[in-house]
Amino acid sequence: MNREIIFNKSVPGRKSSFLNECGVSFEDIKQFIPARFLRERLEFPSLGELDVVRHYINLSKLNFSVDANFYPLGSCTMKYNPKLNEDLAGIKEFGSIHPYQDQDLVQGALKLVYDLGKVLCAVTGMSRFSFQAAAGAQAELAGLLIIRAYHNLNKNSRSKVIIPDSAHGTNPATASMCGYDVVVVKSTPEGLVDVDELSKVVDDDTAAIMLTNPNTLGLFEERILDISDILHKKKAFLYYDGANFNPLMGVVDPFSMGFDVIHLNLHKTFSTPHGSGGPGVGALGVIDKLKEFLPVPVVDKKNDVYFFNYELRNTIGRVKAFYGNFLVLVKAYAYILRLGRQGLKRVAENSVLNARYIKEKLKNHYKAVSLKACMHEVVFSCEHQRDNGVSVLEIAKRLIDFGIHPPTIYFPLIVKEALMVEPTETESKETLDHFISAMKEINSEIQFSPQKFKYAPFTTPVRRVDETAAARSPDLRWKKTGG
Ligand SMILES: *Cc1c(COP(=O)(O)O)cnc(C)c1O
């Protein structure tokens, strides 16, 4: 039974509408609305509560989530975030602070920001942090602007930034947005920075190198101290892309590896779900001699009173309105305090152990990209499977039928048919074993029925979508289906 709601006609008893209040009639604006969006009447179904509950529960079950299924995309995209941290960020006193509120009234919140900075300095070896950037890429930009400002101030401007070919795409994008020429160094066959190549390209015109360690192949740059020497001898900086800090927390700090500027994605490693693009914090840390260049304001303390400090001598200025995404800081702080130093280290150890377990169990079925022990993630090349007619994209689609989210594929770019698995620290051995057996089963299916892969997944309400068409001409209309 449908109740009809009359729209676009005068409704008896209705006194005013938003449009009336604005002094506009519907007739005035009707001409600007495409005909297909105009309705004479809207039909709302009239249903019992139970039917409504079932409708929404069943809809929610179509949702694929880290709370229900394994996500081999790892901390980079969506590791499991403890619910407690959400509860703490939801505390009314945190959530209802206004950014213009008087500093005297938000001393607790400022203390949290200040203390989080101190804790992250302890974890990374840096001297000071800024939490203004809303994403890793934005922190990279701020970090390179700082490096550029430092060189310029010393009348020593430079034109090159060095980036390994395995780098995340934001690194070269950031460097070129800052006006630098990007010089790419190739990786060795083992997947590490080629240090001999590096020493040939580093010169007096080099501003910095941007590095991820472990790199995007999940490998630890063993010669990081040599790399640091080469750069520092030319008075160039080492920028650490610590978007993903899972494997090293509490084990080794970036300062000891020779890094001068780093960013940590609090929304990746430190407990903020960030699917669909936000909110995030790119925490930017610097060594002592770059402290005065950070974006303002930073939170400082004087006579036990916390305040926003705008007086940094060489600040690059603001990179975002207000003080960044404060509630993300609450979650990060809660996460760190709950784990403590030992707990952070255990996160790192388990994230590495889990990835190594998967690598050992699958390396005879899929080609591991490196013979070296991996850190928090393992990259396979599905070239062999491709030769048998099944692409890595199709393998990823088939995994959905096993209740597993597709992993990252075709990245890093230097690996053919790359399939990257980052299990993270929170997954149990049972879950890892389920993934391993799914991957083995898929590999034998490839040998016996490769045709099948053209149509996978089989178990989802929407099967194969034309991803290119979906991206180029999205059709966002709601369509009524069925009877
Ligand atoms: C995610 C990521 C970035 C970018 O971070 P955003 O918050 O998405 O801007 C940079 N580098 C690496 C290695 C990453 O994993």
Side-chain angles (χ1 to χ4, degrees):
M1 214 197 303
N2 289 324
R3 200 175 338 139
E4 290 175 356
I5 305 242
I6 309 295
F7 178 68
N8 184 21
K9 300 242 165 78
S10 65
V11 181
R14 186 145 128 212
K15 292 206 183 67
S16 86
S17 70
F18 175 69
L19 289 180
N20 293 145
E21 280 162 22
C22 299
V24 196
S25 80
F26 184 70
E27 293 305 317
D28 293 337
I29 58 166
K30 198 169 155 184
Q31 54 177 315
F32 302 112
I33 301 176
R36 65 197 166 101
F37 293 132
L38 287 173
R39 297 283 182 278
E40 282 298 318
R41 57 177 48 137
L42 275 183
E43 293 177 359
F44 288 124
S46 172
L47 297 164
E49 176 176 317
L50 177 59
D51 293 321
V52 174
V53 168
R54 285 193 183 141
H55 173 73
Y56 284 108
I57 292 293
N58 286 324
L59 272 186
S60 78
K61 285 201 282 192
L62 298 180
N63 210 3
F64 207 93
S65 76
V66 76
D67 286 347
N69 301 78
F70 178 47
Y71 259 60
L73 292 167
S75 63
C76 196
T77 301
M78 190 56 76
K79 76 173 182 180
Y80 176 75
N81 298 295
K83 301 292 177 239
L84 174 69
N85 304 336
E86 289 300 318
D87 292 345
L88 294 173
I91 290 176
K92 186 168 104 287
E93 284 74 8
F94 283 136
S96 54
I97 297 176
H98 191 278
Y100 282 136
Q101 204 152 329
D102 198 289
Q103 292 178 29
D104 298 345
L105 299 175
V106 291
Q107 284 292 303
L110 294 186
K111 174 176 164 42
L112 186 149
V113 177
Y114 183 86
D115 287 351
L116 178 62
K118 290 275 177 236
V119 174
L120 289 181
C121 285
V123 174
T124 60
M126 293 293 129
S127 293
R128 170 137 231 189
F129 267 86
S130 158
F131 298 119
Q132 222 176 71
Q138 199 182 16
E140 284 176 34
L141 183 67
L144 277 209
L145 288 175
I146 287 174
I147 289 173
R148 193 176 73 180
Y150 178 89
H151 286 309
N152 287 349
L153 195 76
N154 287 288
K155 310 236 173 316
N156 188 7
S157 55
R158 295 165 174 227
S159 71
K160 297 197 306 198
V161 166
I162 295 173
I163 298 177
D165 59 1
S166 61
H168 193 271
T170 49
N171 295 178
T174 299
S176 72
M177 274 187 78
C178 286
Y180 286 114
D181 296 328
V182 173
V183 177
V184 176
V185 274
K186 283 212 160 33
S187 304
T188 61
E190 282 175 324
L192 299 177
V193 170
D194 186 330
V195 180
D196 296 333
E197 275 303 306
L198 180 70
S199 55
K200 283 183 209 148
V201 296
V202 176
D203 57 19
D204 294 328
D205 203 22
T206 305
I209 187 170
M210 297 181 86
L211 271 187
T212 304
N213 196 18
N215 65 24
T216 60
L217 293 167
L219 303 176
F220 189 80
E221 295 289 353
E222 294 156 3
R223 296 187 64 189
I224 186 62
L225 294 179
D226 295 332
I227 295 173
S228 148
D229 270 355
I230 293 169
L231 273 290
H232 285 153
K233 275 205 184 105
K234 296 287 179 188
K235 297 198 167 26
F237 290 105
L238 273 79
Y239 184 99
Y240 183 69
D241 178 343
N244 198 329
F245 201 48
N246 252 31
L248 295 192
M249 287 195 291
V251 179
V252 59
D253 69 73
F255 180 76
S256 310
M257 293 190 270
F259 287 96
D260 306 294
V261 182
I262 83 167
H263 84 266
L264 303 172
N265 280 8
L266 300 190
H267 48 287
K268 285 184 180 170
T269 308
F270 297 96
S271 182
T272 285
H274 60 285
S276 308
V281 170
L284 180 65
V286 294
I287 56 168
D288 198 61
K289 73 174 172 187
L290 297 176
K291 266 187 345 197
E292 293 289 320
F293 291 79
L294 282 172
V296 286
V298 288
V299 174
D300 254 327
K301 181 162 83 163
K302 198 174 187 178
N303 305 328
D304 278 337
V305 176
Y306 299 92
F307 66 101
F308 289 115
N309 183 355
Y310 289 84
E311 309 295 320
L312 298 187
R313 214 175 330 121
N314 305 312
T315 178
I316 57 161
R318 267 190 189 282
V319 295
K320 188 185 182 299
F322 300 116
Y323 323 108
N325 286 321
F326 171 66
L327 295 179
V328 174
L329 307 183
V330 176
K331 292 179 213 183
Y333 192 57
Y335 182 72
I336 293 169
L337 286 195
R338 190 172 175 211
L339 285 166
R341 185 178 277 273
Q342 287 310 314
L344 288 183
K345 186 163 175 246
R346 229 168 40 243
V347 166
E349 288 166 351
N350 283 342
S351 74
V352 172
L353 182 65
N354 281 357
R356 287 186 181 176
Y357 181 69
I358 287 177
K359 180 178 174 184
E360 280 311 301
K361 293 286 180 180
L362 286 180
K363 69 180 185 193
N364 294 331
H365 306 265
Y366 296 84
K367 184 178 142 201
V369 165
S370 177
L371 295 176
K372 287 192 170 297
C374 66
M375 299 296 285
H376 63 308
E377 61 196 11
V378 52
V379 181
F380 297 101
S381 166
C382 299
E383 258 181 290
H384 181 62
Q385 285 77 10
R386 170 87 253 190
D387 292 343
N388 286 324
V390 176
S391 70
V392 69
L393 175 81
E394 290 164 335
I395 294 173
K397 295 277 186 210
R398 181 75 180 117
L399 271 172
I400 300 172
D401 289 328
F402 293 83
I404 295 167
H405 193 283
T408 299
I409 50 175
Y410 300 116
F411 183 83
L413 302 177
I414 53 173
V415 176
K416 286 196 189 123
E417 298 291 307
L419 182 140
M420 174 191 273
V421 181
E422 189 196 344
T424 78
E425 67 283 1
T426 45
E427 297 299 341
S428 66
K429 181 170 177 294
E430 287 72 17
T431 303
L432 301 182
D433 285 336
H434 170 62
F435 173 73
I436 289 159
S437 78
M439 288 295 287
K440 286 183 184 169
E441 196 171 325
I442 286 173
N443 198 37
S444 57
E445 283 178 352
I446 291 172
Q447 283 151 42
F448 299 110
S449 46
Q451 275 320 100
K452 176 173 183 176
F453 284 81
K454 302 283 171 246
Y455 308 100
F458 298 97
T459 52
T460 47
V462 176
R463 300 271 301 276
R464 273 294 172 97
V465 292
D466 180 343
E467 285 167 26
T468 314
R472 299 239 167 104
S473 47
D475 180 356
L476 303 174
R477 272 173 307 161
W478 175 79
K479 276 205 206 91
K480 197 171 175 182
T481 52

